[in-house]
Amino acid sequence: MVATGRMSLVEITVLEGEHEDQVLRLAGALEHASEHPIAKAISTAALERFGTLPTVTNFQNTSGLGVQGVVDDKAVVVGRATLLADWGIHVDHTPAQGRTDVFVAWDGK
């Protein structure tokens, strides 16, 4: 996941019925408010694709786990599977070696 000395977004995987653009747009907006290098990689990819990102309200950082806030009237969480579990969303996933997986959920799904 490291390219030319900086973090970069490698892949976006979405659940059936969801669209990659919406996942990246919501995650990018929320991560844009964060200072974390992985967050910057996500927000940079979103800015490159969309040009601008929606406003975030009620931003909260949970150290070491991820971020949450409201984007386009949706309660959004971006981070580790542990943080999503706190929202009642359980992820059954084994990360690929050498990558850091970040999960995105909104409105309880």
Side-chain angles (χ1 to χ4, degrees):
M1 185 160 167
V2 177
T4 62
R6 69 178 183 100
M7 295 278 195
S8 61
L9 182 64
V10 175
E11 179 180 3
I12 300 170
T13 303
V14 299
L15 295 178
E16 187 175 328
E18 299 300 335
H19 194 275
E20 182 178 297
D21 280 351
Q22 182 170 12
V23 172
L24 181 58
R25 186 172 176 274
L26 293 173
L30 196 54
E31 294 285 39
H32 191 67
S34 176
E35 297 288 325
H36 193 279
I38 294 172
K40 291 296 180 196
I42 294 168
S43 66
T44 297
L47 283 167
E48 288 173 356
R49 186 175 296 185
F50 305 113
T52 61
L53 298 172
T55 302
V56 175
T57 58
N58 300 326
F59 178 84
Q60 294 178 15
N61 178 20
T62 304
S63 185
L65 296 178
V67 293
Q68 57 193 37
V70 177
V71 181
D72 290 343
D73 295 322
K74 295 172 178 34
V76 181
V77 60
V78 179
R80 295 179 180 261
T82 306
L83 182 59
L84 273 70
D86 290 345
W87 279 43
I89 302 165
H90 299 283
V91 177
D92 182 24
H93 176 75
T94 304
Q97 186 173 348
R99 291 189 180 180
T100 301
D101 292 336
V102 176
F103 301 94
V104 183
W106 61 91
D107 294 342
K109 62 178 184 168

